[in-house]
């Protein structure tokens, strides 16, 4: 028996058309640093995205399957690029503006980007790279910034507004197979060359539906989401496409990512939701502690990228803002889990669930691979490497000279699952608790010590601003933890005090012997603790280590 | 450039596995008419569904693509069938127990059902049909009822509980292509033979996601939905699969669909949501008016199948229950629209939006075909026949002797869209207002008169219990409206009074000249006004018609 259903592809084009018509009134508000933010309706943004597609095709010669890069902040024009480029059959390539120059050059060349859309404020970053980017034929500049930086550049330079002005607001969109490439991100891997993840129309569409499901972010047209997570960071966790699908209003900070402007835009624009990594919320908390602001419009905040210190969640609970853990990675689009506790629990009973990474939706199958390669039970105790499978999860990387998909053995299993590199446990009811990155686990005398658990325990101390724990070589145990600590201004705690504090919640054999005060924890381009740097500092003798 | 995403199919198997593990604690509660309802966890239901699949394959010889029918009320066993049959690669065929015997016989023979799962309480319906059902090899009986009715039946008879008992709770589920047939319903068409709609795994999966999106029903594990809409009526509007996907608890009324038991189960079990056609809510309102009950746990109620009289919405608003229109049909899985008003409106401003059928989600593309075949603007005024397209919308029927898909011209356009047969207007912001069935529109002197508008206006009169308006032949105008009215007990209104009441809101040229009192409006098997019967009664001179 054959199904009689229509065979209609799941495409970004559908999201574009739907958002600009049915949700034409919804708005993208972009912070400008001036008295009034810039506001643009979905109807306008959709029309402009259509004009952009016309310009890219007719003026810049962009063909289907060509890579078009963006080097932009979160703003309305970047959303337009998110919609136009995939819909015309080209591939949106978001460039991470926090990467070192040589990595950016490598990535643009590897993707063979023909066009770069860039914010004027980022020209100081892009201009020096251009001599090394032979595939780039066109630069399209949007927003304020010094254009003279591009004088003498090899690619043709266009003004975004001039380029799209007067072009048709209709486009004969191609009927795309839903498995067509739509967008790509490179992982900011800590070892080896960056690896490209190429999202399909299908994966973006399904991920957008999941983001909007009530069990996930559950937003509707009645909501406004403050998208702090950069659009170059795994498609801003899928929010621009997901919000355009259901008319959720977007509040975009552009380059104003400092705690002061963020606090101001929340108080003035009253978003109901926000998404960002923990360090943003740390900074914002310090800001509103010093200069109180009303953040209470944000009923829920999705927090991901790294584990959120429980103390931070508690602090925001007091402000009427509920931080909700999510877990994901570039390879998972990124929604992998969200930590909405089960039904019928008191606030106290909910607490341990809120500290987990959360539950998998139906679209994400999960299993834990033990040290021996066997699969471990979901008993909340057996720790293994998380492997996942699903329609918005990578099964390969874009790579090599030929651009053919490749599947390194340390990232994909023989049966096609993604090895996440995250180590954790899963409870019988499917809540994931990550204890570490596989590479950051401290392997001490045949047992595993979780660096994250030590860090969270340390950061719960009132005088600790930040703490990072890494594995360092140890003659007797193989590896032992090294604790690096950033104290708050005026703090008086010494290492003995901190160690005694740790001993209240951590098994004695796991307590670090090695301690170092640091002015700041080194971070990766997306704000995660950069443990590779700390281990190198230790190896190079650059840290002033105290042995207890 | 090729996408690097995994190619993972969207299947009911995935919903089954996910629901029984991650949401294993969620519950299906089935009303029994006894002191306590029957409760079964998703973990148990999933294990039993797996046992059922084993039994169907190993004991009854069900192969992939075989049709397995259900003639059952809404209950836990029927949910198990919903999960087991598609997951094993067979096709779930839900039989509408309200159809006339000859239609049921036609449908079972057309689908070539090899097995019928039946509730014991429905054996009086099934037993007499068996001699006419040559393809049926096995009958599986669940729940109370007189088995002796099957004495001497040709098919083998099995007890559901005995059949599944002791079977394995694992199954080597096939890796299905997502376009595989998963389930089928026949439309209870008013003309010609019934037509089969065959849902795919893909269509069911995507529809389940949409049902769970915050903009649609938006349910989570914290909810309990009272599924009054029968499981034989377009898969209970997708709820059994959607709820299993996200752990929403189900409250199933089984055969206890009378207003008294429904009121009791709402008061005792406190569902947060419910789904049913308007006539159910009419009956329940009369019940709780006579015997007050607390229905306020139901924050939202999805109402569909036919337009809800505004007076009914207002009455439920006063009970703290918000009725929310949805529109769909067997061919649309059925979610086509839901009427959640836009953001930022007062209750008064929301009201006109609540009276519409609602907005389309991104998965449902819509257009209005005018009388001349041209497409009409979304201006809230131009009325045309609604045509829809999307991944959970039928593009053909299962039919003919060969079972090949066929596409009658009056149901599908040349470019593959479904002609819904519904006439309406769409507002610029995408809200659909249906004014009529294409066949029920009254074509009077070159203009269209909406029978639904007249009915709603009539039913707003306090002395009118029900009213149906149909087109009848008229020498001068071609067609004119005939109003048939059911008065409330003790009502004193005469036709002049009702006509004057109508004239307050309806244009004079649209007012009916022909009026008839009737004891009840004839209904179809799924509770809709059966206008075909009324037109025939008029043609046969069976109505006592007054001309004003």
């Amino acid at each position: 028996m054959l199904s009689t259903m229509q065979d209609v592809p799941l495409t970004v084009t559908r999201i574009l058309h739907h958002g600009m018509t049915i949700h034409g009134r919804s708005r993208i508000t972009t912070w400008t640093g001036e008295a009034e933010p810039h506001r643009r309706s979905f109807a306008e943004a959709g029309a402009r995205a259509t004009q952009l597609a016309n310009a890219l095709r007719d003026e810049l010669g962009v063909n289907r399957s060509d890579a078009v890069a963006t080097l932009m902040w979160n703003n309305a024009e970047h959303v337009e690029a998110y919609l136009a480029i995939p819909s015309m059959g080209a591939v949106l390539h978001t460039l991470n503006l926090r990467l070192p120059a040589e990595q950016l050059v490598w990535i643009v060349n590897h993707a063979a980007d023909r066009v770069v859309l860039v914010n004027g404020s980022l020209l100081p970053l892009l201009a020096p790279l251009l001599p090394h980017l032979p595939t780039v034929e066109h630069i399209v500049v949007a927003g304020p910034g010094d254009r003279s930086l591009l004088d003498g550049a090899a690619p043709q330079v266009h003004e975004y507004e001039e380029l799209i002005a007067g072009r048709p607001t209709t486009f004969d969109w191609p009927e795309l197979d839903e498995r067509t490439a739509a967008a790509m991100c490179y992982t900011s891997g800590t070892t080896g060359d960056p690896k490209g993840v190429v999202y399909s129309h299908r994966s973006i569409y399904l991920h957008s539906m999941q983001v909007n499901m009530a069990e996930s972010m559950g937003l509707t047209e009645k909501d406004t989401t403050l998208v702090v997570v950069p659009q170059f960071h795994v498609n801003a966790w899928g929010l621009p496409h997901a919000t355009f699908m259901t008319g959720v209003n977007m509040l975009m900070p552009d380059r104003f990512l400092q705690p002061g402007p963020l606090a101001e835009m929340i108080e003035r624009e009253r978003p109901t939701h926000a998404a960002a990594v923990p360090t943003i919320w740390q900074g914002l908390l310090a800001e509103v502690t010093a200069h109180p602001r009303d953040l209470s419009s944000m009923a829920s905040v999705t927090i991901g990228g790294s584990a959120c210190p429980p103390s931070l969640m508690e602090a925001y609970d007091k402000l009427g803002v509920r931080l909700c853990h999510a877990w994901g990675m570039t390879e998972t689009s990124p929604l992998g889990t969200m930590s909405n506790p089960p039904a019928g629990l008191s606030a106290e009973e909910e607490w341990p669930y809120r500290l987990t990474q959360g539950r998998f939706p139906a679209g994400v199958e999960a299993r834990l691979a033990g040290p021996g390669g066997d699969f471990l039970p979901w008993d909340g105790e057996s720790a293994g490497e998380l492997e996942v499978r699903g329609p918005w999860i990578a099964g390969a990387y874009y790579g090599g000279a030929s651009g053919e998909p490749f599947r390194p053995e340390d990232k994909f299993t023989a049966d096609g699952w993604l090895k996440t590199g995250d180590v954790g446990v899963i409870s019988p009811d499917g809540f994931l608790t990550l204890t570490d990155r596989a590479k950051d686990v401290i392997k001490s005398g045949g047992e595993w010590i979780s660096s994250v658990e030590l860090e969270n325990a340390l950061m719960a101390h009132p005088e600790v601003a930040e703490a990072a724990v890494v594995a360092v070589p140890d003659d007797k145990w193989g590896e032992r933890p090294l604790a690096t600590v950033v104290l708050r201004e005026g703090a008086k705690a010494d290492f003995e005090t901190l160690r005694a504090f740790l001993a209240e919640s951590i098994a004695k054999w796991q307590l670090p012997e090695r301690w170092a005060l640091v002015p700041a924890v080194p971070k990766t381009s997306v704000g995660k603790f950069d443990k590779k740097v700390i281990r190198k500092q230790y190896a190079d003798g650059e840290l002033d280590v105290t042995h207890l």
Side-chain angles (χ1 to χ4, degrees), chain A:
Chain A
M1 191 178 297
L2 297 172
S3 152
T4 64
M5 292 289 111
Q6 296 179 15
D7 200 1
V8 174
L10 310 174
T11 62
V12 174
T13 328
R14 180 93 282 282
I15 295 174
L16 165 59
H17 180 72
H18 183 76
M20 72 185 281
T21 53
I22 300 263
H23 298 292
R25 272 196 306 250
S26 296
R27 287 201 296 197
I28 309 169
T29 300
T30 305
W31 209 246
T32 57
E34 294 165 19
E36 271 303 302
H38 176 268
R39 302 185 198 278
R40 183 171 294 158
S41 73
F42 279 21
E44 292 170 295
R48 287 164 52 91
T50 310
Q51 292 179 309
L52 175 60
N54 278 292
L56 290 174
R57 183 187 60 186
D58 299 340
E59 188 78 17
L60 274 53
V62 170
N63 297 314
R64 282 172 65 168
S65 212
D66 280 351
V68 177
T70 58
L71 186 67
M72 301 173 82
W73 304 105
N74 291 10
N75 50 45
E77 291 74 27
H78 206 173
V79 174
E80 289 159 12
Y82 261 55
L83 297 165
I85 296 165
S87 295
M88 65 189 293
V91 182
L92 168 78
H93 177 199
T94 52
L95 296 174
N96 182 342
L97 55 89
R98 308 228 184 269
L99 286 183
E102 63 272 21
Q103 277 198 40
L104 272 177
V105 167
W106 191 96
I107 285 171
V108 171
N109 288 326
H110 188 260
D113 296 323
R114 293 186 53 197
V115 177
V116 179
L117 274 58
V118 62
N119 278 135
S121 55
L122 293 169
L123 288 176
L125 172 58
L126 179 65
L129 310 183
L130 288 176
H132 311 289
L133 306 177
T135 66
V136 176
E137 301 163 28
H138 299 276
I139 304 288
V140 182
V141 190
D146 179 6
R147 269 61 173 171
S148 74
L149 292 165
L150 292 173
D151 289 349
Q156 279 189 49
V157 176
H158 311 262
E159 280 294 328
Y160 186 93
E161 293 300 328
E162 290 171 20
L163 185 67
I164 70 170
R167 303 221 177 242
T169 54
T170 59
F171 191 100
D172 187 17
W173 303 111
E175 272 286 333
L176 299 168
D177 183 289
E178 68 189 37
R179 287 174 172 81
T180 305
M184 71 189 307
C185 283
Y186 282 78
T187 61
S188 48
T190 47
T191 54
D193 289 329
K195 292 180 282 288
V197 174
V198 184
Y199 308 103
S200 64
H201 284 262
R202 172 182 165 95
S203 72
I204 289 175
Y205 194 100
L206 291 170
H207 185 268
S208 297
M209 290 186 82
Q210 183 65 53
V211 166
N212 288 321
M213 280 171 69
E215 66 172 356
S216 296
M217 300 193 205
L219 304 175
T220 73
E221 198 197 44
K222 297 188 163 66
D223 291 294
T224 297
T225 178
L226 170 60
V227 187
V228 183
V229 55
Q231 287 189 251
F232 58 75
H233 185 190
V234 209
N235 303 321
W237 297 350
L239 282 167
H241 290 127
T243 53
F244 219 80
M245 176 181 263
T246 57
V248 180
N249 302 282
M250 289 176 247
L251 175 58
M252 294 303 210
D254 197 82
R255 62 195 181 279
F256 304 98
L257 294 165
Q258 309 73 24
L262 286 177
E264 190 184 345
M265 66 186 86
I266 294 166
E267 190 170 67
R268 280 177 52 191
E269 297 291 324
R270 303 194 62 71
T272 57
H273 173 264
V277 295
T279 47
I280 292 283
W281 303 112
Q282 291 275 20
L284 187 65
L285 181 64
E287 167 73 21
V288 299
T289 304
H291 310 285
R293 299 270 197 171
D294 179 10
L295 308 183
S296 64
S297 65
M298 292 192 299
S300 71
V301 164
T302 305
I303 190 162
S306 54
C308 178
S311 53
L312 191 61
M313 282 194 192
E314 287 173 322
Y316 275 93
D317 277 357
K318 287 181 192 138
L319 298 174
V321 176
R322 187 175 173 108
L323 302 188
C324 177
H325 260 156
W327 167 84
M329 49 202 292
T330 304
E331 291 86 342
T332 66
S333 290
L335 187 63
T337 60
M338 278 198 69
S339 67
N340 292 309
L345 301 184
S346 67
E348 200 176 337
E349 290 165 330
E350 283 190 338
W351 187 247
Y353 284 101
R354 291 181 59 195
L355 299 183
T356 71
Q357 270 57 50
R359 267 206 272 212
F360 305 95
V364 180
E365 287 171 84
R367 65 190 187 195
L368 290 175
D374 49 327
F375 298 115
L376 305 178
W378 291 16
D379 58 10
E381 293 182 0
S382 304
E385 182 178 356
L386 177 67
E387 299 180 351
V388 290
R389 175 177 183 264
W392 57 82
I393 299 190
Y397 289 116
Y398 175 79
S402 64
E404 283 302 295
F406 73 107
R407 297 174 181 79
E409 269 181 30
D410 63 331
K411 296 297 290 184
F412 301 98
T413 67
D415 58 351
W417 293 53
L418 173 73
K419 295 180 177 180
T420 64
D422 279 320
V423 169
V425 300
I426 302 179
S427 68
D429 49 355
F431 281 84
L432 170 72
T433 302
L434 291 182
T435 50
D436 243 307
R437 289 291 292 168
K439 62 180 167 36
D440 289 335
V441 162
I442 300 150
K443 298 166 188 85
S444 171
E447 301 270 0
W448 282 1
I449 299 175
S450 164
S451 62
V452 172
E453 195 181 350
L454 289 171
E455 287 161 3
N456 282 340
L458 270 171
M459 287 192 281
H461 191 281
E463 295 193 307
V464 173
E466 280 187 328
V469 176
V470 302
V472 296
D474 183 275
D475 289 342
K476 184 169 177 193
W477 300 103
E479 290 180 355
R480 288 296 298 165
L482 158 70
T484 63
V485 178
V486 183
L487 290 179
R488 290 193 195 281
E489 224 180 284
K492 298 196 172 65
D494 58 17
F495 294 142
E496 280 81 5
T497 309
L498 293 179
R499 189 179 151 102
F501 179 75
L502 272 191
E504 292 171 19
S505 59
I506 303 283
K508 186 153 179 269
W509 66 271
Q510 300 189 353
L511 298 178
E513 299 81 20
R514 296 166 179 84
W515 294 75
L517 275 185
V518 290
V521 173
K523 307 248 173 32
T524 67
S525 60
V526 294
K528 297 184 193 184
F529 288 175
D530 197 341
K531 298 196 175 179
K532 180 172 44 67
V533 171
I534 304 172
R535 282 191 294 261
K536 185 162 189 308
Q537 288 171 338
Y538 178 82
D540 293 350
E542 289 172 11
L543 297 177
D544 179 15
V545 178
T546 301
H547 289 254
L548 294 189

